[in-house]
Amino acid sequence: MCSLEKRGDVFILTITGETDHRLNPELLDSITAAVAQVKSESTPSTALITTAQGKFFSNGYDQAWALADPTRPKIISKKLRLLVEDLISLPMPTIAAVNGHASAAGFILALTHDYLLMRRDRGYLYMSELDIGYPIPRWFVQLVKSKVGSPKIWRSVVMAAAKITAEMGVEWGIVDSAHDGAEATVEAAVKLGTELVGRKWGGEVYAANRRVVLADVLAVLGSDETVIFSSIFMYAVFVNTKIKFVTVYDLLRYFIDDGTTTTF
């Protein structure tokens, strides 16, 4: 699902395969494990690049997996939120080298990185929730607001479901630089990562400062109100098709706090 290599003091995490890299538990666990390995093997000054093979960086949540059972949206949301928290807390600069389409949760994964580089000849950054009729999580919007300066651009991203090319992304301040092809994008990311490593910043201080910068994101990262919508939707499907996989009690049981504030 993922490969990890190191060039000097720069780690390159690659989501492998020619699929659209939908985020499901298997892929999220693989990325999370790779990030944990990077953290454990990091030196006082290192950097991480995340990229992917094929035409997609990530096409968002694996909806086929998530909507097959009303308990699954909760699982997949929590795994992504834990991964985002790990990236925010990672003691090094992070760079997304976006090789193709990054949609919805895939866009969020890219946006979580400190820097976002993108190929100009293929792919969009696309918050697709409005187009597919799905409510956007509050923490998604907070991350967009933390990364993008203009309220007009927030509106375009979230409330107009804009398909953002690399050149548009540079103009809007979302993308740091655009490059000709996936390989050139990764090479530019390696160059940037090497420059950042050369600053010899302390990793723990870097992570602490990032947590302050993204404090508003961390404050809402503990829950995801949209998983209730997903579960109710799935229950309605089960009832309408008379497939009795769950009862109302089963559904509500998953909404009961498990002893923390991070139920969903």
Side-chain angles (χ1 to χ4, degrees):
M1 303 295 283
C2 291
S3 67
L4 188 64
E5 62 175 299
K6 192 176 183 184
R7 297 189 197 176
D9 290 314
V10 178
F11 290 93
I12 303 175
L13 189 166
T14 303
I15 302 171
T16 56
E18 297 297 322
T19 69
D20 59 352
H21 307 305
R22 293 274 183 173
L23 298 175
N24 54 38
E26 184 179 11
L27 180 53
L28 286 167
D29 286 347
S30 181
I31 298 171
T32 299
V35 170
Q37 183 179 342
V38 167
K39 184 176 182 179
S40 69
E41 296 179 5
S42 63
T43 56
S45 186
T46 50
L48 169 67
I49 296 166
T50 303
T51 191
Q53 296 176 341
K55 298 179 180 180
F56 291 84
F57 180 80
S58 171
N59 207 16
Y61 282 143
D62 186 340
Q63 296 286 0
W65 184 90
L67 296 180
D69 183 283
T71 66
R72 289 184 174 184
K74 175 181 175 180
I75 295 169
I76 203 169
S77 169
K78 190 165 187 177
K79 285 183 179 292
L80 177 61
R81 286 182 283 118
L82 289 172
L83 172 57
V84 167
E85 187 173 1
D86 286 348
L87 286 168
I88 291 174
S89 300
L90 198 65
M92 65 189 70
T94 58
I95 305 165
V98 178
N99 56 295
H101 301 296
S103 301
F107 184 6
I108 289 296
L109 177 60
L111 203 59
T112 301
H113 294 72
D114 300 320
Y115 300 87
L116 198 162
L117 281 55
M118 187 175 176
R119 66 183 296 178
R120 62 164 52 91
D121 59 318
R122 172 180 290 157
Y124 298 103
L125 304 175
Y126 175 37
M127 204 64 74
S128 60
E129 282 78 3
L130 196 61
D131 283 342
I132 65 175
Y134 198 88
I136 189 168
R138 185 158 55 107
W139 74 268
F140 277 28
V141 177
Q142 188 59 59
L143 183 61
V144 172
K145 288 183 176 181
S146 297
K147 296 284 186 168
V148 180
S150 166
K152 289 184 178 180
I153 294 175
W154 305 344
R155 182 180 65 196
S156 295
V157 172
V158 176
M159 297 306 301
K163 293 183 177 180
I164 307 162
T165 64
E167 299 292 355
M168 288 171 61
V170 171
E171 182 181 348
W172 288 4
I174 299 171
V175 175
D176 292 281
S177 58
H179 304 275
D180 295 322
E183 185 176 348
T185 304
V186 172
E187 290 305 317
V190 171
K191 181 180 178 182
L192 173 59
T194 302
E195 292 171 357
L196 294 171
V197 166
R199 299 295 299 273
K200 298 190 181 301
W201 293 316
E204 293 303 326
V205 174
Y206 191 93
N209 288 355
R210 188 198 287 119
R211 287 194 292 269
V212 172
V213 170
L214 297 179
D216 289 343
V217 177
L218 292 170
V220 296
L221 202 55
S223 63
D224 179 356
E225 69 287 352
T226 64
V227 298
I228 300 176
F229 170 88
S230 299
S231 296
I232 291 174
F233 171 79
M234 282 307 300
Y235 180 72
V237 170
F238 294 153
V239 169
N240 289 337
T241 58
K242 303 185 185 304
I243 301 174
K244 197 171 181 180
F245 290 123
V246 295
T247 66
V248 172
Y249 173 78
D250 292 327
L251 187 61
L252 292 175
R253 184 166 55 85
Y254 284 94
F255 298 160
I256 296 173
D257 199 318
D258 59 3
T260 71
T261 59
T262 57
T263 304
F264 300 126

